[in-house]
Structures are given as C-alpha cells and as structure tokens.
Amino acid sequence: ADADRQAPVLELVKLLREDGALVCAFEMTVDEARGALDACANRIRRNELRDAYGPSIEYFLETGQTPSDIELLSARLPQKLESLGLHIEPSPPREMEFQVDELEFAAALRASIGYHKEKALLHDIDCVSAVARIRRGHDSTAIERSKALFVTPNAQLAKTTKEFFQPDSPPGSVALCVSDHALAS
C-alpha cells in the first residue's frame, strides 16, 4: 500500500524490535499475502477491475504497477519481510493438549465478522490456534512476557478472539490476538 498506510506498520515493527521482541510471520500468513498479491496481478491482467477494492489493488492501480511487477513482489515477499526484521516461522505442531476448539471459534467469528472468503476465516483460526499452541496454556498479564501474540489490523477479530477465549483465562491475561492499533498504543 502507499506510504501513509505503510508508516504505522513499519513503526510498530521497529518499536517491537527495539523492545527486544522477536517479530515473526507464520508461513501460512506469507502464503496468504502472496495469494492476495497474485489475485491483484490476475485481476489487473484480465482487466477485472469493476468490483476490485482494497488498499493493495488501489495502490497498484494508482502507481501503474504491471501484473509482472506485482508477481515479482509476491516472489520476493519472504526476502522483503526478512529485510524488515520479520522472521518467517512454520506453524507449531498440533498437540491435543493445547488445541483450541476451532469449530466453536469459527462459529463465533462467523457470527461477528462478515468474511467474504472462507480462506480468510480459516487463516485467522489457524493463526490464533497456533499462538495458543505456542503459549502451551501459559497465561501472562504482561505482553512483554507473553510467549506469542497474533497482531492484526482487524479490530473485530481481536475483540471476538478476546471474548471467546477470555472466560477461560485469569483476569488481566493478555489475549491471544490484539489489534495493531491497540498494540501500538
């Protein structure tokens, strides 16, 4: 997206790294982002722009990016993320002891968020579930001591995740998911 949209995200990553956080992206999230970039390239290539929306495709159209430019960005995305100080990590293994109820969580997310694509819903569930597995049942009342945290621009996802999981956590526990805006604040 444009510089105005990039700046707060880059500043948050910088602040987290300066505070000693290991800032990571799950491989599945990188794959999702690459899929979104490839979809933008395909829409522009086929001139299917009538119902195209979102900051990424708007940026590509405003800056005259070609499908080849976007495909190159997609191919180089892992290296770009690494250059920004983000490590790309695989999802932790699934262990029944630390597995969340993904079906119930999916129902809660469907009820609160109007997902346009099932893949986006599944990605969000997978990320929150992965964070729960990384934490291995440990709660913390300080973000600095949390083993993992899913940061998202989707405030409703953060709110729904907190509401869904908070009844099982001690008061004041750090949620599994937080919005980027809340974390930056």
Side-chain angles (χ1 to χ4, degrees):
D2 61 32
D4 289 342
R5 290 183 186 264
Q6 289 179 30
V9 176
L10 294 174
E11 181 179 1
L12 178 58
V13 169
K14 180 180 177 247
L15 289 171
L16 289 169
R17 292 186 65 232
E18 286 174 356
D19 281 347
L22 177 62
V23 184
C24 302
F26 288 123
E27 286 175 348
M28 64 181 145
T29 302
V30 175
D31 291 343
E32 181 190 46
R34 291 178 77 184
L37 291 170
D38 294 341
C40 289
N42 287 331
R43 277 185 164 261
I44 293 171
R45 178 177 288 109
R46 294 189 305 256
N47 201 27
E48 295 174 354
L49 305 174
R50 190 168 47 139
D51 61 346
Y53 65 95
S56 296
I57 199 156
E58 290 169 8
Y59 170 76
F60 295 139
L61 292 171
E62 288 169 7
T63 58
Q65 302 287 312
T66 67
S68 296
D69 295 331
I70 301 166
E71 289 166 344
L72 185 59
L73 174 61
S74 176
R76 292 183 176 165
L77 184 60
Q79 293 84 355
K80 177 67 173 174
L81 294 174
E82 291 280 348
S83 77
L84 295 172
L86 278 80
H87 301 276
I88 299 172
E89 298 287 330
S91 295
R94 292 190 178 270
E95 300 175 58
M96 282 305 296
E97 184 179 355
F98 305 111
Q99 190 62 40
V100 301
D101 185 341
E102 293 182 359
L103 292 176
E104 287 293 321
F105 185 43
L109 290 176
R110 278 190 184 97
S112 69
I113 301 172
Y115 283 93
H116 297 289
K117 297 186 179 178
E118 186 75 4
K119 280 180 75 172
L121 168 68
L122 296 176
H123 173 265
D124 289 347
I125 292 167
D126 285 344
C127 286
V128 171
S129 180
V131 167
R133 292 192 310 274
I134 291 169
R135 287 190 180 181
R136 304 182 66 77
H138 297 293
D139 287 308
S140 176
T141 56
I143 287 178
E144 296 84 357
R145 290 190 298 277
S146 294
K147 292 183 177 218
L149 182 65
F150 179 44
V151 181
T152 177
N154 186 337
Q156 188 61 40
L157 171 61
K159 180 179 185 280
T160 303
T161 301
K162 182 175 182 175
E163 289 170 353
F164 184 82
F165 290 103
Q166 211 64 29
D168 297 332
S169 300
S173 292
V174 175
L176 295 170
C177 178
V178 65
S179 73
D180 55 355
H181 179 76
L183 182 60
S185 297

